[in-house]
Amino acid sequence: MAVEQTTKADVIVIGGGMVGLASAIALRDRGLDVLLCDPGEARARTSYGNAGVVSRGSIFPMSSPALWAKLPTYLRNADRGLRLRHTHVARVLPWTAHFLAAARTSAWERAAAALVPLTSAALPEHLGLAERAGAGHLIRRCGWIKLYRTPEAFTGAALERAILARHGVAVDLLDAEAVREAEPALIRAYAHGMLLPETGAVSDPGALMEAYQQLYADLGGRSLGMVTTGLQPTEDGWQVRHAEGAVQARQVVLAAGAASGEIARGLGYRFAFAAERGYHTHYALHPDSPALTRPVLDTGAGSIVAPMGEGRVRVLSGVELNARAAPPDYVQIEAAAREAAGTLRLGANLDNRPWMGARPSTPDGLPVIGPAPRHRGLIFAFGHGHIGLSTGPITGRLVADLATGREPAIPVAPFAPQRLLGWPRRRPPQPDGAMARP
């Protein structure tokens, strides 16, 4: 009979995506003995599969005031940017109720104000970490563009532009000719564009993650790839069990992305939480096409095209609300690829099948960062949605601050776990200006 082995550390970090990895690096920088635990396949992590945008302007939750006008379209799955699995949405009623409550102008503005310090620190933190990892060449300060097919669509984004201006986020407005000049690779005509120049673009998110993993190893960080979700408190800290034994530590950081809700539930925390699934596929650009120089969001298609190395682009779908482990549904990415073929001169598809990953989604669009309310030594760091790759390094610094008793580098009160625990006890507020029904 094999003897069970117990490993000890100062801190266990559960989750090997950008947030967990950056937290592990920051904790090692503070001199702590860190064990990073993640059983998942690297390619399946959303840090690998996103658009690589690191932007100060990524401050808007999905639950926008425009939701109410678009709700009938969303419910019919007639909007390219959002696809619902209705049975799944019914199963995550706490998330759904909070999500509808957050779809108000006042809530949207509060969320944006809370995210500004986090996104403002994102690019400087990434650049510093990338230089340490010898991967500075993978991040370019090139901005990214949001494109609008009609004047009406551009007018409809006026509130977004006003909030960006209020928080000092630089925006360059482009007319149709300026869009063509900024991105000669575009073959579709757009009425307007919005360039956010305070943005970095990662040309290969997977390679950047590998460089950060090597940096962590070079710092003496340890990793374990066979962890189960068995997390439990002990008399002097925490224990995580795995196939060959257990790991014990004084503190634990839960940064397991979309799996974090399930792990937290085992400790009695029922977060209003859902998984946002997304897809991507890669195409070669046509040999006669100019290069695409920066990521581009086509608001009319609800999808993104992003350059990923020499002559290659990543086409990314909108959001699918579905169970994390449900079989893939390629309807959205196939539609996004068709739209991309009208936006760029594409060559061959480079993938055997589209990639799929699940983002951890909170209803108010804010991450969960902070100490657990009922357990000493447990720090939550998940729920970053679409900005996990972007804000991972600054979140790692905040985690290290909390673990070592320092004042966090930026305010974390808006990200407190308590706000998402339990069911809403009142009817969600009506959209601004709407009359409440009896």
Side-chain angles (χ1 to χ4, degrees):
M1 182 175 180
V3 178
E4 188 176 270
Q5 297 181 353
T6 300
T7 303
K8 292 189 176 182
D10 293 326
V11 186
I12 301 168
V13 177
I14 301 177
M18 181 58 74
V19 174
L21 181 56
S23 297
I25 291 172
L27 290 162
R28 280 298 301 146
D29 285 342
R30 305 289 172 89
L32 297 175
D33 180 18
V34 183
L35 188 62
L36 179 63
C37 301
D38 191 297
E41 178 190 359
R43 190 178 184 274
R45 299 175 188 135
T46 50
S47 300
Y48 171 92
N50 63 38
V53 174
V54 184
S55 179
R56 185 165 178 254
S58 297
I59 59 174
F60 297 107
M62 191 171 68
S63 54
S64 78
L67 169 72
W68 298 99
K70 293 183 176 180
L71 193 57
T73 305
Y74 289 151
L75 291 174
R76 298 196 313 271
N77 277 328
D79 188 280
R80 295 164 177 160
L82 178 64
R83 183 169 177 81
L84 303 177
R85 179 69 63 174
H86 294 93
T87 55
H88 174 67
V89 174
R91 292 190 187 107
V92 289
L93 284 176
W95 180 91
T96 305
H98 280 296
F99 184 83
L100 293 173
R104 296 172 291 126
T105 299
S106 57
W108 214 47
E109 291 177 338
R110 284 196 302 273
L115 285 171
V116 163
L118 197 67
T119 61
S120 295
L123 184 55
E125 287 287 331
H126 252 301
L127 290 171
L129 197 59
E131 286 300 323
R132 290 176 60 192
H137 62 285
L138 294 175
I139 306 177
R140 298 178 298 114
R141 296 175 184 255
C142 57
W144 83 304
I145 299 179
K146 293 185 177 183
L147 295 174
Y148 304 88
R149 297 186 179 188
T150 65
E152 293 77 16
F154 179 71
T155 300
L159 176 60
E160 178 181 345
R161 295 192 296 275
I163 294 173
L164 290 171
R166 184 184 311 158
H167 293 292
V169 178
V171 172
D172 296 334
L173 300 183
L174 310 177
D175 60 17
E177 182 178 355
V179 168
R180 289 192 295 271
E181 292 177 355
E183 284 298 338
L186 298 175
I187 58 174
R188 188 190 301 274
Y190 292 92
H192 294 279
M194 185 170 70
L195 170 65
L196 289 88
E198 298 173 309
T199 298
V202 180
S203 61
D204 190 335
L208 185 65
M209 288 290 294
E210 290 170 4
Y212 288 172
Q213 288 162 356
Q214 185 60 53
L215 173 62
Y216 172 66
D218 292 345
L219 291 171
R222 295 182 291 153
S223 299
L224 183 68
M226 59 180 77
V227 174
T228 70
T229 56
L231 171 64
Q232 60 187 38
T234 64
E235 290 184 2
D236 56 354
W238 289 89
Q239 183 183 83
V240 175
R241 301 194 64 80
H242 58 85
E244 297 179 4
V247 183
Q248 294 182 349
R250 296 196 311 272
Q251 297 185 85
V252 64
V253 178
L254 180 54
S260 297
E262 299 167 17
I263 298 173
R265 191 175 300 118
L267 297 169
Y269 296 98
R270 298 186 64 84
F271 285 98
F273 201 66
E276 289 182 30
R277 305 205 314 179
Y279 301 78
H280 81 228
T281 190
H282 294 101
Y283 283 86
L285 277 175
H286 190 279
D288 295 333
S289 173
L292 182 68
T293 63
R294 55 176 67 84
V296 168
L297 166 61
D298 183 338
T299 60
S303 56
I304 296 174
V305 290
M308 291 283 155
E310 190 71 26
R312 186 174 67 127
V313 295
R314 176 174 289 180
V315 178
L316 300 104
S317 73
V319 169
E320 179 196 7
L321 289 176
N322 199 349
R324 185 167 62 93
D329 181 348
Y330 295 125
V331 169
Q332 270 185 308
I333 189 60
E334 290 169 354
R338 289 193 297 271
E339 292 289 343
T343 299
L344 300 169
R345 297 183 66 188
L346 297 180
N349 185 276
L350 303 177
D351 296 333
N352 292 326
R353 68 179 186 276
W355 173 93
M356 183 189 76
R359 304 178 186 93
S361 175
T362 62
D364 59 5
L366 303 179
V368 176
I369 305 172
R374 299 190 301 272
H375 290 85
R376 184 177 180 180
L378 173 60
I379 298 172
F380 292 133
F382 55 81
H384 291 70
H386 296 257
I387 58 172
L389 175 87
S390 174
T391 60
I394 181 58
T395 300
R397 177 187 284 199
L398 297 175
V399 165
D401 289 339
L402 293 168
T404 56
R406 299 186 188 181
E407 183 71 20
I410 64 173
V412 296
F415 313 132
Q418 291 87 333
R419 76 186 197 280
L420 296 180
L421 292 171
W423 287 69
R425 299 188 181 278
R426 295 177 300 167
R427 176 184 297 186
Q430 299 295 310
D432 289 12
M435 182 179 297
R437 295 180 179 179

